[in-house]
Amino acid sequence: MRVGLFIPCYIDQFYPKVAIATLKLLQNVGCEVDYPLQQTCCGQPMANSGYEHLTGGCNENFVRNFSGYDYIVSPSGSCTLHIKHHLHAANESEASAIRSRIYELTEFLTDVVKVSSLKATFPYRVGLHQSCHGQRGLHLAQMSELVAPPFSKPAQLLNLVDGLDLVQLDRRDECCGFGGTFCVTEEAVSAKMGKDRVADHLRHGVNYITGVDVSCLMHLEGILKRANSAVQVKHIAEILTATV
Amino acid sequence: MNQLNLDHASAAVEFNKDEPRVDWHDETLWFVRTKRDRAAAQLPEWEQLREAASQIKNHVLSNMHDLLAQFEENAKQNGITVHWAENADEHNAIIHKLIQDAGVTRMVKSKSMLTEECHLNDYLTRHGIEVIDSDLGERIVQMRKEPPSHIVLPAIHLKKSDVGETFHEHLGTEKGATDPQYLTEAARQHLRDTFLTRKVALTGVNFAIAETGGFVVCTNEGNADMGAHLADVHIAAMGFEKIIPRAEHLGVFLRLLARSATGQPITTFSSHFHRPRPGQQMHIVIVDNGRSRQLGRPDFRNSLKCIRCAACLNTCPVYRRSGGHSYHSAIAGPIGSILAPNLDMKLNADLPFASTLCGSCSNVCPVKIDIHDQLYKWRQVLMKEGYGPGSKTAAMKAMATVLESPSLYRVAGKIGRGVLRFTPVLAENRFNPWYNQREMPEPPAESFRDWYINNKKV
Ligand code: SF4
């Protein structure tokens, strides 16, 4: 099984540790992982800002990098969703193959690899921030609005970690307010949403906030740090590979 | 009120200056959303009901002409006079004429978002006609000369103390009074007098039934009935999308509407009007006002399925933290942000961006409108047609150039990280909206790519 690893631009630049943990996690579960060196970005920042018509170059580059893999895996629900819904290119058959073969990391682990055990230890109280694009877009977890039985792919994996205490939040899937360029164009609402999201976790005495989207976590981290909080954020890949 | 002149983001900055009020607004609406969840969960067939409603509405959208013609014919046979209005001006003029024909200068109105959309109150006031809104929330905002901030709870942005002040000023209640019972009683007395003396009453329409030529109005206060039953002339105003094919479909919509709106099993009053009582006149004004245009846009026609339950407003994390007035449009929130650009793209180009595209709105919508996908699509239309600020377009072009070239991307990444590491002052200043309330991420020495080239195997 050849896996092409897609590391979104801001993870590559600001959170290499998340990418390293993702690579390690995929290798630990037996995947042959390759990181195509000429990759850049999924194009979502332009598209969500209303400039999908400028994403052509990005899309072509994505297809050049990720054609031919059995699976493409990424530690970001949001970027994965964007590719799944909006990737088009001159070579449309390749683009369509990529759209159907791209997976967010946790859904890849639960649905394709079917991981049932992990060698990881993380003896802390952890709050899971369910990011919207992964959750409602990729259906990584049941949504509070729908009348349907509950499940959560990220929580399923976190429950395999030794010592980890997963807390229940008051609003289990409220948006954190990151929203791509929304975080700066609507700064007031974005920051308020982030503060409220953090407060829910703090009320439940967490040591760490985790999630499947580094972008949301970066936003929550910025708010925690501004408040001089001792609570830290960690991407789920870092926790699923943690040894203490 | 002055928020109406600002774009959404700027109005939201104003709204957020009073953080405790934002918290209260958020929590109140979240409470309603939670009640909705509980009510929905009590019906095991909830998702099937939503699907049924959605299918009926799809059928309506595809057969609009025939259903409206059928409705008109049946309504006429019932003795209702049917009027057609192409736009807001025609709608207002028709109603004005009916009031003049009745020989009065005062009327009572039940809550109708369509009349807000058409700015009927302003129009009639300018023409010397006194309009009293009889829905309590609507009456409160009317006294304050504010538009409603929510389609079901028009005064949800106000606290009890605000209402107390307003009533003290306009109804002469005691200063400082905040007891809801006392205030409601004062409003009731005032409205009772209004109902008894008005010869013309206007109501909205929740559902118009093609098969029977009648219509249904849902209220929790019974104020539509009070107005319509006591008046000599009953005028009902409806957007043409309110049509449903058959009376048997009402069961689907009435079960969904109240549960989605407030978590009640059913609205307190679902009043069925089919024909004028002897001696009474009944008129229905069917309004287009841009609806045919929206029906003709494949990406946005679904928005006409809306039954105005407001579930998407209550669940919207942005609405809860920016307030209804920040949407500077009769209908606030996610659904309003889809409807408003259809009315005026230039004026409302900001609204589809007042969302994180979290998707919660689409999930609560009882008629399954793909709300967040339509917001995404409006963004594409609006920016492509040049309604974006020039600076944004330039920034996006620059970003596209960098991200489509792996070598440029690497250089830019290195510079970006370098700037943050060695001269953080460049980013940590008040001109950077990220930094206003959040710390910047700490940039690492090397990118993942640099690391990967040297280490590969973990
Ligand atoms: S769009 Fe859907 S959820 Fe929103 S008001 Fe209309 S029917 Fe209700």
Short mmCIF file of all heavy atoms in Angstrom, two decimals, chain A residues 12-13 23 35 37 40 47-52 136 143-145 147 171 174-175 183 186-187 190 192 196 219 222 226, chain B residues 8 19 23 26 33 47 320-321 358 360 363 376 379-380 383 392-393 403 409 417 433 435-439 448-449:
data_model
loop_
_atom_site.label_atom_id
_atom_site.label_comp_id
_atom_site.label_asym_id
_atom_site.label_seq_id
_atom_site.Cartn_x
_atom_site.Cartn_y
_atom_site.Cartn_z
N ASP A 12 3.60 22.41 7.16
CA ASP A 12 4.98 22.33 6.68
C ASP A 12 5.83 23.46 7.27
O ASP A 12 6.92 23.25 7.78
CB ASP A 12 4.96 22.41 5.14
CG ASP A 12 6.35 22.47 4.53
OD1 ASP A 12 7.25 21.76 5.02
OD2 ASP A 12 6.52 23.23 3.55
N GLN A 13 5.28 24.65 7.24
CA GLN A 13 6.06 25.82 7.66
C GLN A 13 6.09 26.03 9.17
O GLN A 13 7.11 26.43 9.72
CB GLN A 13 5.49 27.09 7.00
CG GLN A 13 5.64 27.12 5.48
CD GLN A 13 7.11 27.14 5.04
OE1 GLN A 13 7.95 27.72 5.71
NE2 GLN A 13 7.40 26.50 3.92
N LEU A 23 3.85 11.09 9.85
CA LEU A 23 4.69 10.16 9.10
C LEU A 23 5.00 8.92 9.96
O LEU A 23 4.85 7.78 9.51
CB LEU A 23 5.99 10.88 8.70
CG LEU A 23 7.03 10.07 7.95
CD1 LEU A 23 6.48 9.60 6.60
CD2 LEU A 23 8.30 10.91 7.72
N TYR A 35 6.67 11.23 0.64
CA TYR A 35 6.29 12.64 0.72
C TYR A 35 6.74 13.34 -0.58
O TYR A 35 7.93 13.61 -0.76
CB TYR A 35 6.96 13.29 1.93
CG TYR A 35 6.78 14.79 2.01
CD1 TYR A 35 5.56 15.35 2.41
CD2 TYR A 35 7.82 15.66 1.70
CE1 TYR A 35 5.39 16.72 2.49
CE2 TYR A 35 7.66 17.04 1.77
CZ TYR A 35 6.44 17.56 2.16
OH TYR A 35 6.29 18.92 2.23
N LEU A 37 8.02 15.89 -2.96
CA LEU A 37 8.76 17.09 -2.53
C LEU A 37 8.29 18.40 -3.15
O LEU A 37 8.62 19.47 -2.66
CB LEU A 37 10.25 16.90 -2.82
CG LEU A 37 10.96 15.88 -1.90
CD1 LEU A 37 12.37 15.61 -2.40
CD2 LEU A 37 10.98 16.37 -0.46
N THR A 40 2.71 21.98 -2.44
CA THR A 40 2.62 23.27 -1.75
C THR A 40 1.36 23.34 -0.88
O THR A 40 1.43 23.24 0.33
CB THR A 40 2.61 24.45 -2.74
OG1 THR A 40 1.49 24.33 -3.62
CG2 THR A 40 3.89 24.51 -3.54
N ALA A 47 -9.91 29.55 -2.51
CA ALA A 47 -11.27 29.12 -2.84
C ALA A 47 -12.28 29.60 -1.80
O ALA A 47 -13.34 30.12 -2.15
CB ALA A 47 -11.31 27.60 -2.95
N ASN A 48 -11.97 29.46 -0.52
CA ASN A 48 -12.93 29.89 0.50
C ASN A 48 -13.07 31.40 0.54
O ASN A 48 -14.04 31.92 1.06
CB ASN A 48 -12.53 29.36 1.88
CG ASN A 48 -13.01 27.94 2.09
OD1 ASN A 48 -13.50 27.31 1.16
ND2 ASN A 48 -12.88 27.43 3.29
N SER A 49 -12.11 32.10 -0.04
CA SER A 49 -12.21 33.55 -0.12
C SER A 49 -12.97 33.99 -1.36
O SER A 49 -13.10 35.18 -1.63
CB SER A 49 -10.82 34.18 -0.15
OG SER A 49 -10.09 33.78 0.98
N GLY A 50 -13.43 33.03 -2.16
CA GLY A 50 -14.21 33.37 -3.34
C GLY A 50 -13.38 33.40 -4.62
O GLY A 50 -13.84 33.88 -5.65
N TYR A 51 -12.16 32.91 -4.54
CA TYR A 51 -11.28 32.98 -5.71
C TYR A 51 -10.91 31.58 -6.21
O TYR A 51 -9.78 31.30 -6.54
CB TYR A 51 -10.01 33.78 -5.39
CG TYR A 51 -10.31 35.24 -5.12
CD1 TYR A 51 -10.77 35.67 -3.88
CD2 TYR A 51 -10.16 36.19 -6.13
CE1 TYR A 51 -11.07 37.00 -3.64
CE2 TYR A 51 -10.45 37.53 -5.89
CZ TYR A 51 -10.91 37.93 -4.64
OH TYR A 51 -11.20 39.25 -4.41
N GLU A 52 -11.92 30.72 -6.26
CA GLU A 52 -11.66 29.38 -6.79
C GLU A 52 -11.09 29.47 -8.20
O GLU A 52 -10.32 28.61 -8.62
CB GLU A 52 -12.99 28.59 -6.78
CG GLU A 52 -12.80 27.09 -6.73
CD GLU A 52 -14.12 26.33 -6.80
OE1 GLU A 52 -14.89 26.42 -5.85
OE2 GLU A 52 -14.34 25.64 -7.81
N ARG A 136 -18.39 17.67 9.86
CA ARG A 136 -19.62 17.76 9.05
C ARG A 136 -19.33 17.51 7.58
O ARG A 136 -20.18 17.03 6.86
CB ARG A 136 -20.29 19.11 9.25
CG ARG A 136 -20.73 19.32 10.69
CD ARG A 136 -21.73 20.45 10.86
NE ARG A 136 -21.98 20.67 12.29
CZ ARG A 136 -21.20 21.43 13.06
NH1 ARG A 136 -20.16 22.06 12.54
NH2 ARG A 136 -21.46 21.56 14.34
N MET A 143 -22.91 14.26 14.10
CA MET A 143 -23.11 15.68 14.31
C MET A 143 -24.27 15.91 15.25
O MET A 143 -25.30 15.25 15.14
CB MET A 143 -23.36 16.35 12.96
CG MET A 143 -22.17 16.16 12.05
SD MET A 143 -22.61 16.19 10.30
CE MET A 143 -22.71 14.45 9.95
N SER A 144 -24.12 16.86 16.15
CA SER A 144 -25.12 17.06 17.20
C SER A 144 -26.47 17.49 16.63
O SER A 144 -27.49 17.36 17.29
CB SER A 144 -24.63 18.10 18.20
OG SER A 144 -24.41 19.34 17.55
N GLU A 145 -26.51 17.98 15.41
CA GLU A 145 -27.77 18.47 14.84
C GLU A 145 -28.63 17.32 14.32
O GLU A 145 -29.84 17.47 14.17
CB GLU A 145 -27.52 19.42 13.66
CG GLU A 145 -26.67 20.63 13.99
CD GLU A 145 -25.19 20.38 13.77
OE1 GLU A 145 -24.84 19.29 13.26
OE2 GLU A 145 -24.38 21.25 14.13
N VAL A 147 -30.38 13.52 14.07
CA VAL A 147 -30.89 12.46 14.93
C VAL A 147 -30.36 11.14 14.38
O VAL A 147 -30.86 10.60 13.40
CB VAL A 147 -32.43 12.48 14.96
CG1 VAL A 147 -32.96 11.32 15.79
CG2 VAL A 147 -32.94 13.81 15.51
N ARG A 171 -20.50 21.85 24.65
CA ARG A 171 -20.94 21.96 23.25
C ARG A 171 -19.97 21.11 22.44
O ARG A 171 -18.87 21.54 22.13
CB ARG A 171 -20.89 23.41 22.79
CG ARG A 171 -21.79 24.33 23.60
CD ARG A 171 -21.83 25.72 23.01
NE ARG A 171 -22.55 26.65 23.88
CZ ARG A 171 -22.74 27.93 23.58
NH1 ARG A 171 -22.26 28.43 22.46
NH2 ARG A 171 -23.40 28.72 24.41
N GLU A 174 -19.19 22.60 18.56
CA GLU A 174 -19.30 24.02 18.19
C GLU A 174 -18.02 24.45 17.46
O GLU A 174 -16.92 24.07 17.83
CB GLU A 174 -19.49 24.85 19.48
CG GLU A 174 -19.41 26.35 19.28
CD GLU A 174 -20.78 27.03 19.26
OE1 GLU A 174 -21.72 26.43 18.72
OE2 GLU A 174 -20.88 28.14 19.82
N CYS A 175 -18.22 25.26 16.45
CA CYS A 175 -17.10 25.76 15.65
C CYS A 175 -16.20 26.66 16.51
O CYS A 175 -16.67 27.41 17.36
CB CYS A 175 -17.65 26.57 14.48
SG CYS A 175 -16.42 27.35 13.44
N CYS A 183 -10.62 34.24 10.03
CA CYS A 183 -9.96 34.56 11.30
C CYS A 183 -9.37 35.97 11.31
O CYS A 183 -9.17 36.54 12.37
CB CYS A 183 -8.90 33.51 11.64
SG CYS A 183 -7.43 33.62 10.62
N GLU A 186 -12.92 38.64 9.88
CA GLU A 186 -13.96 38.79 10.91
C GLU A 186 -13.30 38.57 12.26
O GLU A 186 -13.75 37.75 13.06
CB GLU A 186 -15.09 37.77 10.68
CG GLU A 186 -16.00 38.10 9.51
CD GLU A 186 -17.27 38.86 9.93
OE1 GLU A 186 -17.39 39.25 11.11
OE2 GLU A 186 -18.14 39.04 9.05
N GLU A 187 -12.26 39.32 12.49
CA GLU A 187 -11.43 39.09 13.69
C GLU A 187 -12.23 39.09 14.98
O GLU A 187 -12.03 38.24 15.86
CB GLU A 187 -10.33 40.16 13.72
CG GLU A 187 -9.33 40.00 14.85
CD GLU A 187 -9.70 40.83 16.07
OE1 GLU A 187 -10.31 41.89 15.93
OE2 GLU A 187 -9.38 40.37 17.18
N SER A 190 -14.36 35.89 15.23
CA SER A 190 -13.46 34.75 15.25
C SER A 190 -12.80 34.59 16.63
O SER A 190 -12.79 33.51 17.21
CB SER A 190 -12.39 34.93 14.17
OG SER A 190 -11.39 33.95 14.30
N LYS A 192 -13.77 35.84 19.49
CA LYS A 192 -14.77 35.54 20.52
C LYS A 192 -15.16 34.06 20.49
O LYS A 192 -15.29 33.40 21.52
CB LYS A 192 -16.00 36.43 20.31
CG LYS A 192 -17.14 36.20 21.28
CD LYS A 192 -16.73 36.46 22.73
CE LYS A 192 -17.88 36.20 23.69
NZ LYS A 192 -17.38 35.74 25.01
N ASP A 196 -14.55 31.33 23.52
CA ASP A 196 -15.63 30.51 24.06
C ASP A 196 -15.32 29.02 23.95
O ASP A 196 -15.66 28.23 24.82
CB ASP A 196 -16.96 30.81 23.33
CG ASP A 196 -17.47 32.22 23.65
OD1 ASP A 196 -16.88 32.88 24.53
OD2 ASP A 196 -18.44 32.67 23.00
N HIS A 219 -5.28 28.48 16.12
CA HIS A 219 -6.14 29.56 16.58
C HIS A 219 -6.38 29.45 18.09
O HIS A 219 -6.20 30.41 18.84
CB HIS A 219 -7.44 29.44 15.77
CG HIS A 219 -8.63 30.21 16.22
ND1 HIS A 219 -8.65 31.58 16.26
CD2 HIS A 219 -9.87 29.78 16.61
CE1 HIS A 219 -9.86 31.97 16.67
NE2 HIS A 219 -10.60 30.91 16.88
N GLY A 222 -3.23 30.27 20.01
CA GLY A 222 -2.98 31.70 20.09
C GLY A 222 -3.77 32.35 21.22
O GLY A 222 -3.27 33.24 21.92
N ARG A 226 -2.23 33.87 24.76
CA ARG A 226 -2.49 35.26 25.11
C ARG A 226 -3.02 35.35 26.55
O ARG A 226 -2.76 36.30 27.26
CB ARG A 226 -3.49 35.86 24.12
CG ARG A 226 -3.90 37.30 24.37
CD ARG A 226 -2.74 38.29 24.34
NE ARG A 226 -2.00 38.35 23.10
CZ ARG A 226 -2.25 39.17 22.09
NH1 ARG A 226 -3.23 40.02 22.16
NH2 ARG A 226 -1.49 39.15 21.01
N HIS B 8 -20.74 43.65 7.67
CA HIS B 8 -20.94 42.71 8.77
C HIS B 8 -19.77 42.71 9.75
O HIS B 8 -19.98 42.75 10.97
CB HIS B 8 -21.17 41.29 8.24
CG HIS B 8 -21.45 40.31 9.32
ND1 HIS B 8 -20.45 39.63 9.98
CD2 HIS B 8 -22.60 39.93 9.92
CE1 HIS B 8 -20.99 38.86 10.92
NE2 HIS B 8 -22.28 39.03 10.90
N GLU B 19 -18.91 42.50 25.87
CA GLU B 19 -18.77 41.04 25.87
C GLU B 19 -19.83 40.31 26.70
O GLU B 19 -20.34 39.28 26.25
CB GLU B 19 -17.35 40.62 26.29
CG GLU B 19 -17.10 39.15 25.96
CD GLU B 19 -15.65 38.72 26.13
OE1 GLU B 19 -14.77 39.60 26.26
OE2 GLU B 19 -15.42 37.50 26.12
N ASP B 23 -22.19 37.26 25.36
CA ASP B 23 -22.34 35.96 26.04
C ASP B 23 -23.81 35.64 26.27
O ASP B 23 -24.26 34.52 26.04
CB ASP B 23 -21.63 35.99 27.41
CG ASP B 23 -20.12 35.97 27.24
OD1 ASP B 23 -19.65 35.49 26.18
OD2 ASP B 23 -19.42 36.46 28.14
N ASP B 26 -25.49 34.79 22.94
CA ASP B 26 -25.05 33.46 22.53
C ASP B 26 -25.75 32.38 23.35
O ASP B 26 -26.28 31.41 22.81
CB ASP B 26 -23.53 33.38 22.70
CG ASP B 26 -23.01 31.96 22.63
OD1 ASP B 26 -23.30 31.28 21.63
OD2 ASP B 26 -22.32 31.52 23.57
N ARG B 33 -31.48 26.42 20.61
CA ARG B 33 -30.95 25.35 19.75
C ARG B 33 -31.00 24.01 20.50
O ARG B 33 -31.35 22.97 19.93
CB ARG B 33 -29.52 25.73 19.33
CG ARG B 33 -28.54 24.62 19.04
CD ARG B 33 -28.68 23.94 17.69
NE ARG B 33 -28.22 22.57 17.80
CZ ARG B 33 -26.98 22.15 17.57
NH1 ARG B 33 -26.06 23.00 17.14
NH2 ARG B 33 -26.66 20.89 17.72
N GLU B 47 -35.30 12.52 10.70
CA GLU B 47 -34.55 12.71 9.45
C GLU B 47 -35.42 12.36 8.24
O GLU B 47 -35.29 12.97 7.18
CB GLU B 47 -33.25 11.89 9.45
CG GLU B 47 -32.26 12.27 10.59
CD GLU B 47 -31.84 13.74 10.60
OE1 GLU B 47 -31.85 14.39 9.53
OE2 GLU B 47 -31.52 14.26 11.69
N ARG B 320 -24.81 34.11 16.51
CA ARG B 320 -24.93 34.24 17.96
C ARG B 320 -23.95 35.25 18.53
O ARG B 320 -24.16 35.81 19.59
CB ARG B 320 -24.73 32.88 18.64
CG ARG B 320 -25.97 32.01 18.58
CD ARG B 320 -25.81 30.74 19.41
NE ARG B 320 -25.43 29.61 18.57
CZ ARG B 320 -24.29 28.95 18.66
NH1 ARG B 320 -23.38 29.29 19.55
NH2 ARG B 320 -24.04 27.94 17.85
N ARG B 321 -22.84 35.47 17.81
CA ARG B 321 -21.84 36.39 18.33
C ARG B 321 -21.69 37.68 17.52
O ARG B 321 -20.74 38.43 17.70
CB ARG B 321 -20.49 35.68 18.45
CG ARG B 321 -20.53 34.58 19.50
CD ARG B 321 -19.24 33.82 19.55
NE ARG B 321 -19.30 32.70 20.48
CZ ARG B 321 -19.82 31.51 20.19
NH1 ARG B 321 -20.37 31.29 19.01
NH2 ARG B 321 -19.81 30.54 21.08
N CYS B 358 -19.08 26.27 8.72
CA CYS B 358 -19.01 25.11 9.62
C CYS B 358 -20.06 24.07 9.25
O CYS B 358 -19.92 22.90 9.59
CB CYS B 358 -19.16 25.55 11.08
SG CYS B 358 -20.85 25.94 11.60
N SER B 360 -23.23 23.75 10.24
CA SER B 360 -24.28 23.43 11.20
C SER B 360 -25.65 23.85 10.68
O SER B 360 -26.65 23.16 10.91
CB SER B 360 -23.97 24.12 12.54
OG SER B 360 -24.87 23.72 13.52
N ASN B 363 -27.30 21.30 8.53
CA ASN B 363 -27.75 20.14 9.29
C ASN B 363 -29.04 20.35 10.06
O ASN B 363 -29.78 19.41 10.29
CB ASN B 363 -26.67 19.71 10.29
CG ASN B 363 -25.64 18.81 9.66
OD1 ASN B 363 -25.84 18.31 8.56
ND2 ASN B 363 -24.54 18.61 10.35
N TYR B 376 -20.69 29.26 0.08
CA TYR B 376 -19.43 29.07 -0.66
C TYR B 376 -19.60 29.49 -2.13
O TYR B 376 -18.78 30.21 -2.69
CB TYR B 376 -19.00 27.61 -0.55
CG TYR B 376 -17.74 27.26 -1.34
CD1 TYR B 376 -16.48 27.41 -0.77
CD2 TYR B 376 -17.83 26.79 -2.65
CE1 TYR B 376 -15.33 27.10 -1.49
CE2 TYR B 376 -16.68 26.47 -3.37
CZ TYR B 376 -15.44 26.62 -2.79
OH TYR B 376 -14.30 26.31 -3.51
N ARG B 379 -19.78 33.21 -2.68
CA ARG B 379 -18.46 33.84 -2.62
C ARG B 379 -17.79 33.82 -3.99
O ARG B 379 -17.21 34.82 -4.43
CB ARG B 379 -17.56 33.09 -1.61
CG ARG B 379 -18.03 33.22 -0.18
CD ARG B 379 -17.12 32.47 0.76
NE ARG B 379 -17.64 32.55 2.13
CZ ARG B 379 -16.99 32.16 3.21
NH1 ARG B 379 -15.77 31.64 3.09
NH2 ARG B 379 -17.53 32.28 4.41
N GLN B 380 -17.90 32.68 -4.67
CA GLN B 380 -17.27 32.57 -5.99
C GLN B 380 -17.91 33.56 -6.97
O GLN B 380 -17.22 34.25 -7.71
CB GLN B 380 -17.39 31.14 -6.55
CG GLN B 380 -17.01 30.02 -5.60
CD GLN B 380 -15.65 30.21 -4.95
OE1 GLN B 380 -14.72 30.73 -5.56
NE2 GLN B 380 -15.53 29.82 -3.69
N MET B 383 -16.99 37.36 -6.04
CA MET B 383 -15.62 37.78 -6.29
C MET B 383 -15.33 37.78 -7.79
O MET B 383 -14.66 38.67 -8.30
CB MET B 383 -14.62 36.86 -5.56
CG MET B 383 -14.70 36.98 -4.05
SD MET B 383 -14.55 38.66 -3.39
CE MET B 383 -16.25 39.05 -2.98
N LYS B 392 -7.96 42.86 -1.71
CA LYS B 392 -8.11 41.43 -1.47
C LYS B 392 -7.80 40.64 -2.74
O LYS B 392 -7.10 39.63 -2.70
CB LYS B 392 -9.55 41.15 -1.01
CG LYS B 392 -9.84 39.69 -0.73
CD LYS B 392 -11.27 39.52 -0.25
CE LYS B 392 -11.67 38.05 -0.28
NZ LYS B 392 -13.11 37.87 -0.06
N THR B 393 -8.33 41.13 -3.86
CA THR B 393 -8.07 40.45 -5.14
C THR B 393 -6.57 40.40 -5.40
O THR B 393 -6.03 39.36 -5.80
CB THR B 393 -8.80 41.19 -6.28
OG1 THR B 393 -10.17 41.33 -5.91
CG2 THR B 393 -8.71 40.41 -7.57
N LEU B 403 1.68 29.87 -4.43
CA LEU B 403 1.31 28.49 -4.11
C LEU B 403 1.30 27.57 -5.33
O LEU B 403 1.31 26.35 -5.18
CB LEU B 403 -0.05 28.46 -3.40
CG LEU B 403 -0.05 29.13 -2.02
CD1 LEU B 403 -1.44 29.13 -1.42
CD2 LEU B 403 0.94 28.45 -1.07
N TYR B 409 7.19 29.05 -3.39
CA TYR B 409 6.58 28.72 -2.10
C TYR B 409 7.66 28.50 -1.05
O TYR B 409 7.55 28.97 0.08
CB TYR B 409 5.71 27.47 -2.28
CG TYR B 409 5.38 26.74 -0.99
CD1 TYR B 409 4.44 27.24 -0.09
CD2 TYR B 409 6.04 25.55 -0.67
CE1 TYR B 409 4.15 26.57 1.09
CE2 TYR B 409 5.76 24.87 0.51
CZ TYR B 409 4.82 25.38 1.38
OH TYR B 409 4.54 24.72 2.55
N ARG B 417 9.00 32.55 7.83
CA ARG B 417 9.43 32.01 9.12
C ARG B 417 10.55 32.86 9.70
O ARG B 417 10.60 33.14 10.90
CB ARG B 417 9.91 30.57 8.97
CG ARG B 417 8.80 29.56 9.17
CD ARG B 417 9.32 28.13 9.06
NE ARG B 417 9.69 27.82 7.69
CZ ARG B 417 10.91 27.41 7.32
NH1 ARG B 417 11.86 27.25 8.21
NH2 ARG B 417 11.17 27.17 6.06
N PRO B 433 -4.57 41.74 12.31
CA PRO B 433 -5.80 41.36 13.02
C PRO B 433 -5.67 40.04 13.78
O PRO B 433 -6.39 39.80 14.73
CB PRO B 433 -6.85 41.25 11.92
CG PRO B 433 -6.21 41.66 10.66
CD PRO B 433 -4.74 41.76 10.87
N TYR B 435 -3.09 39.18 15.53
CA TYR B 435 -2.38 39.44 16.78
C TYR B 435 -3.21 40.24 17.78
O TYR B 435 -2.89 40.27 18.96
CB TYR B 435 -1.07 40.18 16.46
CG TYR B 435 -0.16 40.31 17.65
CD1 TYR B 435 0.42 39.19 18.24
CD2 TYR B 435 0.09 41.56 18.22
CE1 TYR B 435 1.24 39.30 19.33
CE2 TYR B 435 0.92 41.68 19.33
CZ TYR B 435 1.49 40.54 19.88
OH TYR B 435 2.29 40.66 20.98
N ASN B 436 -4.29 40.86 17.34
CA ASN B 436 -5.12 41.66 18.24
C ASN B 436 -5.51 40.91 19.51
O ASN B 436 -5.40 41.44 20.61
CB ASN B 436 -6.36 42.11 17.46
CG ASN B 436 -7.12 43.19 18.21
OD1 ASN B 436 -6.58 43.83 19.10
ND2 ASN B 436 -8.38 43.38 17.86
N GLN B 437 -5.97 39.68 19.35
CA GLN B 437 -6.40 38.91 20.53
C GLN B 437 -5.73 37.54 20.64
O GLN B 437 -6.14 36.73 21.45
CB GLN B 437 -7.94 38.72 20.51
CG GLN B 437 -8.71 40.03 20.50
CD GLN B 437 -10.20 39.81 20.65
OE1 GLN B 437 -10.66 39.26 21.64
NE2 GLN B 437 -10.97 40.24 19.67
N ARG B 438 -4.76 37.26 19.77
CA ARG B 438 -4.13 35.94 19.76
C ARG B 438 -2.63 36.08 19.60
O ARG B 438 -2.17 36.99 18.90
CB ARG B 438 -4.64 35.12 18.56
CG ARG B 438 -6.05 34.67 18.64
CD ARG B 438 -6.58 34.22 17.28
NE ARG B 438 -6.78 35.35 16.39
CZ ARG B 438 -7.79 35.46 15.50
NH1 ARG B 438 -8.63 34.48 15.35
NH2 ARG B 438 -7.90 36.52 14.75
N GLU B 439 -1.85 35.15 20.18
CA GLU B 439 -0.41 35.13 19.94
C GLU B 439 -0.14 34.49 18.58
O GLU B 439 -0.93 33.69 18.09
CB GLU B 439 0.30 34.33 21.03
CG GLU B 439 0.24 34.95 22.41
CD GLU B 439 0.92 36.31 22.50
OE1 GLU B 439 2.02 36.48 21.94
OE2 GLU B 439 0.34 37.23 23.11
N PHE B 448 8.99 21.14 7.46
CA PHE B 448 8.93 19.68 7.44
C PHE B 448 9.72 19.15 6.23
O PHE B 448 10.44 18.17 6.33
CB PHE B 448 7.48 19.20 7.38
CG PHE B 448 7.36 17.73 7.13
CD1 PHE B 448 7.76 16.82 8.11
CD2 PHE B 448 6.88 17.23 5.92
CE1 PHE B 448 7.67 15.44 7.90
CE2 PHE B 448 6.79 15.85 5.69
CZ PHE B 448 7.19 14.96 6.68
N ARG B 449 9.58 19.84 5.12
CA ARG B 449 10.26 19.38 3.91
C ARG B 449 11.76 19.30 4.13
O ARG B 449 12.41 18.30 3.78
CB ARG B 449 9.94 20.33 2.76
CG ARG B 449 10.53 19.90 1.43
CD ARG B 449 10.16 20.89 0.34
NE ARG B 449 10.59 20.43 -0.97
CZ ARG B 449 11.81 20.61 -1.45
NH1 ARG B 449 12.72 21.23 -0.72
NH2 ARG B 449 12.13 20.15 -2.65
#
